[in-house]
Amino acid sequence: MKTVSVVIPAYNEADSIVSTLQAVREHVICDELIVVDDGSTDGTGALADSWADLVIRLPRNQGKGAALQTGWRRAAGDIVLLLDGDLRESAGEANRLIAPVLSDVCDMAVAVLPAPARKAGVGLAKGLARHGIRLLTGYRAQAPLSGQRAIRRQVLERTGRLDKGFGIEVGLTIDVLRAGYRVLEVPVAFAHRETGNDWAGYCHRGKEFWAIGRALGRKWWEGSVWTRN
């Protein structure tokens, strides 16, 4: 029987972490629930203590990639489910993501979320990610930036270190495909915090665009080195 570890990176998610963890506990196949408190200053880790099997506290904010890297390496499950801390009650839908990996339909399942209630930005970051993944692997990703993923532990062990920051999803997708593993995108009714059309939202998307570009550049270079060798 395959076991499932849920790993949730969280940075200042005091408003949503309890409802997210409660939904996982009540509705999701879960042998182990790990929260990585990525240097939060709002008490996120203390709130998670009552729900998680393990809360890993990083002394300072290191970014989503570093938090996930720390979390999955401590996980014992055959399948690692990566979820964001702001999913709230919708985290209970995660079994739809686990099922195809458990049944060996794919090696990594990626959630395709419903369209946002309001459009933010012009889609530059998502477009860059989608076209970069296709250029480097030939795969046409519908949800290239989705952080909600179920993946076999063996895949994570083979692909190695995760990219940092907002480039993690793009880097992971490229690494998994290049290693010859099967990727399946699955519609799941997750809901999480949306960025707005304000200064904070534009700054967030700008950082995301830059990080994606950096991750794609690194993957292109890695592929070129591998081809030359």
Side-chain angles (χ1 to χ4, degrees):
M1 178 69 70
K2 292 185 176 69
T3 56
V4 178
S5 294
V6 179
V7 176
I8 300 178
Y11 174 62
N12 288 344
E13 293 289 359
D15 291 341
S16 56
I17 193 64
V18 170
S19 54
T20 299
L21 297 178
Q22 183 176 1
V24 171
R25 282 295 191 200
E26 294 179 352
H27 302 291
V28 179
I29 299 169
C30 177
D31 298 283
E32 179 183 44
L33 178 52
I34 298 173
V35 173
V36 183
D37 180 5
D38 189 19
S40 298
T41 58
D42 66 348
T44 294
L47 291 169
D49 279 329
S50 298
W51 296 92
D53 296 304
L54 173 65
V55 177
I56 302 171
R57 289 173 168 82
L58 302 183
R60 57 180 178 81
N61 181 245
Q62 299 182 31
K64 185 177 180 181
L68 285 175
Q69 185 80 14
T70 300
W72 83 256
R73 288 197 177 280
R74 294 286 296 275
D78 302 302
I79 295 171
V80 180
L81 175 64
L82 309 177
L83 296 177
D84 289 342
D86 63 349
L87 296 178
R88 297 179 182 266
E89 290 79 8
S90 72
E93 299 291 325
N95 285 331
R96 297 179 182 274
L97 202 54
I98 300 170
V101 184
L102 274 175
S103 58
D104 198 31
V105 172
C106 65
D107 302 300
M108 181 172 75
V110 181
V112 180
L113 277 63
R118 57 178 180 174
K119 184 176 176 60
V122 294
L124 291 178
K126 186 175 182 180
L128 176 63
R130 180 181 287 126
H131 290 303
I133 291 171
R134 187 176 68 174
L135 177 66
L136 294 176
T137 67
Y139 181 78
R140 296 176 180 268
Q142 184 179 351
L145 301 179
S146 175
Q148 324 313 317
R149 302 175 179 225
I151 182 168
R152 288 169 48 208
R153 181 183 179 84
Q154 175 187 344
V155 177
L156 287 169
E157 290 174 342
R158 179 173 175 185
T159 53
R161 190 165 190 83
L162 300 176
D163 285 70
K164 296 180 179 180
F166 296 119
I168 176 179
E169 289 85 9
V170 172
L172 180 57
T173 298
I174 292 171
D175 287 343
V176 169
L177 290 167
R178 280 179 168 173
Y181 290 109
R182 302 162 297 169
V183 175
L184 178 68
E185 294 185 299
V186 182
V188 184
F190 287 135
H192 64 103
R193 184 171 51 252
E194 299 174 5
T195 57
N197 287 313
D198 52 15
W199 178 248
Y202 287 122
C203 287
H204 173 85
R205 288 188 290 276
K207 291 177 182 178
E208 187 176 39
F209 185 88
W210 182 83
I212 291 166
R214 183 181 62 181
L216 289 171
R218 185 182 300 112
K219 296 307 172 186
W220 175 84
W221 182 83
E222 290 173 358
S224 298
V225 170
W226 183 87
T227 300
R228 290 197 299 269
N229 293 337

